[in-house]
């Protein structure tokens, strides 16, 4: 890994403003090569508890700063992240496998949340409300929720933390981040820059560890933690909800998805193919908003399938450090096994492979397009999280909306159509938190990201993203 600033490859835990080199360590491997790239300090429950204690103390002083002071520090962090983007991308590519160009895209995407919330920090406004009695005056103020515990996934190891820590610190909260054990290096690298930006000791803590359940249990049960913000699978989200219930702890949950991608017969097919390529194959299909099932209206099914297969064949699979590589490895063997299971199930139920369909080497897998996929295939119900594009034929708008909504998930949905009335009908009818119309890429810091049903609670990004880190207090002044 070639870095301009080698100090960004940090392996120690960051607790209370101290870098701690712990005896216990766990290895981080490169999914493209299987090589160990670093051994990272493995925090114990006691270390997590200490981080929470120090965050609790530090939060009081951090909240006393003005929004403008917090904004200045966050803005400096943003500037440092952008300046170091190439190094941060190299680290991310090595530990997660995302091709370099896409890794840099994630770094800038993560940084955009820090920039956005450096601006929101100055605008935490309250209200005055006309009194209900002549001598009463009413004000509403917003205050930081306190210590925030964060648990994040491996697929966006920089942006998923940035999307949480930025609004939390902007609001005046302190933060204890437990990154995914598969990809802790990106979290630690951004923390080096957080310290350089002047984020005070104890305000932002990072506790890498290899035993997720233990760390999660401490974060969820510790009374000094006021809020848990989690991004990951619905299964783990349910575990954390149970653990937070004893303390009635507030939560933000960004969970699993199973996005429908619908192509109507009045769509611009070339645009629909372009959108499907992004929505399906971004991060090698390993994003929560990836198109998991692609519904194509009968009149354009064959033409769309042919175009999508041609575009899929043009993807270049390989080590993300090599020029021109668009598609890296899957994160691990378990991820590969899931893709193969969904492929086998669909074929068993009558689907045909139009292109791809085979493991290459290690955890590299051919981007795959399936046709004649039946609605009862596993991909209709389960998140594949890999480069598998199942095409399902449909006849009518009513039929496809019912199919799209027949899921316990409701994160993102996409459709391509040009009839304005249809655009309004379908956008309103889809049971998802986010809808892409004639676009396959909806993730941006300016809009509220999040889902409904079992895809989660709360929103991240946009002006709405601050709300999850603030408490509303109403003050009634009497005797006036
Ligand atoms: N909605 C979103 O914004 C979003 C974004 C990215 C990923 N995801 C979802 O995340 C999943 C893929 O990521 P993943 O495989 O890392 O998910 P995961 O749920 O297996 O793990 C997520 C994080 O939780 C930790 N974890 C696992 N078990 C835990 C436990 N019992 N207690 C506490 N922490 C625990 C993991 O170590 C990891 O850090 C997919 O379902 C994807 O849809 C959702
Ligand atoms: O995996 C889903 C993340 O939220 C990534 S993105 O926000 O869609 O880029």
């Amino acid at each position: 890994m070639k870095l301009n600033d080698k100090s960004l490859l940090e392996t120690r835990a960051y607790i209370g403003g101290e870098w701690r080199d712990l005896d216990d360590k766990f290895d981080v491997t490169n999914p493209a090569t299987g090589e160990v790239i670093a051994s990272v300090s493995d925090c114990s429950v006691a270390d997590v508890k200490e981080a929470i204690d120090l965050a609790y103390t530090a939060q009081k002083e951090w909240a006393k700063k003005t929004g403008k002071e917090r904004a200045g520090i966050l803005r400096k962090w943003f500037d440092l992240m952008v300046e170091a983007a190439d190094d941060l991308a190299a680290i991310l590519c090595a530990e997660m496998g995302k091709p370099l160009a896409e890794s840099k895209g994630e770094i800038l995407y993560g940084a955009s949340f820090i920039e956005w919330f450096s601006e929101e920090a100055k605008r935490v406004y309250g209200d005055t409300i006309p009194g209900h009695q002549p001598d009463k005056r009413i004000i509403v103020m917003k205050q930081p929720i306190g210590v925030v515990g964060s648990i994040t996934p491996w697929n966006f190891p920089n942006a998923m933390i940035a999307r949480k820590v930025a609004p939390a610190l902007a609001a005046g909260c302190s933060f204890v981040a437990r990154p995914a054990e598969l990809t802790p290096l990106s979290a630690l690298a951004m923390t080096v820059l957080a310290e350089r930006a002047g984020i005070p000791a104890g305000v932002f803590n990072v506790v890498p560890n290899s035993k997720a359940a233990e760390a999660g249990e401490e974060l969820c049960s510790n009374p000094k933690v006021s809020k848990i913000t989690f991004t990951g699978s619905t299964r783990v989200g349910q575990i954390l909800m149970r653990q937070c219930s004893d303390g009635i702890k507030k939560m933000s949950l960004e969970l699993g998805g199973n996005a429908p991608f619908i192509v109507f017969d009045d769509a611009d097919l070339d645009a629909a193919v372009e959108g499907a390529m992004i929505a399906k194959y971004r991060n090698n299909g390993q994003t929560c908003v990836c198109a998991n099932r692609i519904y194509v209206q009968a009149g354009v099914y064959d033409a769309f399938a042919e175009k999508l297969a041609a575009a899929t064949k043009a993807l270049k699979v390989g080590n993300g450090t090599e020029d021109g590589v668009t598609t890296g490895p899957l994160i691990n063997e378990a991820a590969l096994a899931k893709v193969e299971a969904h492929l086998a199930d669909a074929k068993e139920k009558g689907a045909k492979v139009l292109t791809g369909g085979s493991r290459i080497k290690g955890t590299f897998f051919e981007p795959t397009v399936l046709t004649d996929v039946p609605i009862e295939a596993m991909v209709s119900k389960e998140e594949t999280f890999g480069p598998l594009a199942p095409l399902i034929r449909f006849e009518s708008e009513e039929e496809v909306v019912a199919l799209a909504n027949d899921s316990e998930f409701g994160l993102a949905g996409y459709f391509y159509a040009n009839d304005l009335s249809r655009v309004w009908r379908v956008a309103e009818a889809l049971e998802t938190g986010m809808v892409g119309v004639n676009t396959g890429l909806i993730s941006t810091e300016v809009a509220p990201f999040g889902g409904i049903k079992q895809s989660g609670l709360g929103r991240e990004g946009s002006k709405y993203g601050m709300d999850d880190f603030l408490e509303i207090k109403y003050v009634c002044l009497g005797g006036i």
Side-chain angles (χ1 to χ4, degrees):
M1 189 190 321
K2 296 187 188 67
L3 298 177
N4 299 314
D5 178 353
K6 291 182 174 41
S7 70
L8 290 174
L9 187 56
E10 181 56 76
T11 60
R12 297 171 292 174
Y14 187 65
I15 298 173
E18 276 177 30
W19 290 100
R20 299 196 185 170
D21 186 11
L22 304 176
D23 294 340
D24 289 345
K25 290 187 173 47
F26 62 94
D27 289 343
V28 181
T29 57
N30 181 332
T33 64
E35 291 163 341
V36 173
I37 47 183
S39 292
V40 172
S41 288
D42 195 349
C43 288
S44 65
V45 170
D47 295 317
V48 176
K49 192 178 181 317
E50 185 184 357
I52 293 168
D53 289 343
L54 293 170
Y56 185 79
T57 304
Q59 190 268 331
K60 311 295 180 202
E61 286 309 306
W62 179 244
K64 285 181 187 158
K65 286 186 181 294
T66 64
K68 197 168 179 180
E69 286 170 323
R70 292 196 292 272
I73 293 171
L74 287 171
R75 176 71 207 198
K76 177 68 179 164
W77 192 15
F78 163 74
D79 291 339
L80 291 172
M81 287 254 283
V82 172
E83 213 174 284
D86 288 332
D87 282 349
L88 297 175
I91 291 169
L92 198 157
C93 174
E95 68 172 354
M96 195 251 130
K98 196 174 286 183
L100 262 182
E102 202 172 340
S103 290
K104 183 160 182 187
E106 179 184 338
I107 299 302
L108 297 177
Y109 174 56
S112 73
F113 288 97
I114 297 172
E115 179 189 39
W116 177 270
F117 288 106
S118 74
E119 294 152 1
E120 290 296 305
K122 294 179 266 186
R123 297 180 180 81
V124 179
Y125 298 146
D127 282 313
T128 57
I129 297 172
H132 53 299
Q133 292 169 351
D135 73 321
K136 298 294 187 300
R137 300 297 182 270
I138 295 175
I139 57 172
V140 176
M141 59 178 75
K142 292 182 180 177
Q143 296 179 312
I145 207 164
V147 175
V148 175
S150 156
I151 301 171
T152 45
W154 51 264
N155 66 333
F156 284 80
N158 172 289
M160 291 306 95
I161 295 174
R163 196 162 79 179
K164 297 171 185 300
V165 68
L169 268 53
C173 299
S174 57
F175 204 84
V176 179
R178 189 272 172 186
E181 62 278 16
L182 294 174
T183 55
L185 299 174
S186 294
L188 294 169
M190 66 196 284
T191 306
V192 170
L193 300 175
E195 184 186 36
R196 288 180 192 168
I199 293 177
V203 170
F204 181 37
N205 305 272
V206 179
V207 288
N209 93 320
S210 60
K211 302 176 189 67
E214 287 177 7
E217 170 74 36
E218 180 58 33
L219 287 167
C220 290
S221 60
N222 191 309
K224 287 182 178 176
V225 175
S226 302
K227 166 158 184 130
I228 291 291
T229 176
F230 171 71
T231 295
S233 65
T234 295
R235 178 187 69 81
V236 174
Q238 290 164 335
I239 293 171
L240 299 177
M241 276 192 99
R242 288 187 202 104
Q243 292 175 344
C244 285
S245 62
D246 290 343
I248 312 292
K249 208 174 292 267
K250 288 192 186 307
M251 300 188 83
S252 299
L253 297 171
E254 291 287 353
L255 304 178
N258 189 316
F261 186 104
I262 305 167
V263 183
F264 286 101
D265 52 18
D266 68 329
D268 173 333
L269 281 195
D270 291 329
V273 168
E274 186 183 347
M277 290 300 289
I278 297 168
K280 179 64 257 181
Y281 296 117
R282 184 162 69 96
N283 198 19
N284 199 8
Q286 301 171 118
T287 91
C288 56
V289 290
C290 274
N292 208 69
R293 38 201 172 122
I294 301 176
Y295 298 102
V296 186
Q297 199 155 20
V300 294
Y301 188 93
D302 294 340
F304 178 83
E306 191 182 327
K307 287 174 181 282
L308 185 68
T312 299
K313 282 177 186 153
L315 293 172
K316 186 180 175 190
V317 180
N319 187 320
T321 56
E322 290 161 17
D323 286 347
V325 165
T326 59
T327 306
L330 290 162
I331 189 71
N332 57 25
E333 279 293 338
L336 185 62
K338 189 170 189 187
V339 172
E340 290 182 323
H342 283 187
L343 173 59
D345 168 77
K347 286 165 69 176
E348 202 178 289
K349 292 170 182 169
K352 296 183 191 59
V353 175
L354 201 49
T355 184
S358 302
R359 174 191 292 229
I360 300 170
K361 67 176 170 56
T363 60
F364 292 94
F365 195 84
E366 290 177 330
T368 300
V369 176
L370 293 176
T371 57
D372 301 333
V373 178
I375 58 172
E376 61 275 3
M378 280 167 78
V379 290
S380 295
K381 294 294 178 199
E382 279 184 25
E383 185 178 45
T384 305
F385 232 57
L388 191 63
L391 305 188
I392 302 164
R393 190 189 303 264
F394 73 93
E395 298 294 338
S396 71
E397 181 182 311
E398 293 69 26
E399 174 198 1
V400 75
V401 167
L403 287 172
N405 288 337
D406 182 19
S407 169
E408 72 261 27
F409 295 107
L411 190 57
Y414 309 86
F415 67 94
Y416 277 71
N418 278 307
D419 177 293
L420 193 57
S421 302
R422 166 173 283 166
V423 166
W424 273 107
R425 284 197 305 271
V426 177
E428 290 172 343
L430 287 180
E431 294 170 359
T432 56
M434 302 175 284
V435 180
V437 181
N438 296 329
T439 179
L441 184 58
I442 54 178
S443 308
T444 168
E445 77 282 8
V446 309
F449 188 105
I452 60 174
K453 300 189 197 178
Q454 295 194 30
S455 287
L457 300 170
R459 291 295 182 271
E460 295 187 336
S462 81
K463 66 173 185 175
Y464 301 99
M466 286 292 281
D467 296 344
D468 282 349
F469 298 96
L470 293 165
E471 288 287 13
I472 289 176
K473 177 182 282 179
Y474 139 56
V475 179
C476 183
L477 302 170
I480 295 171

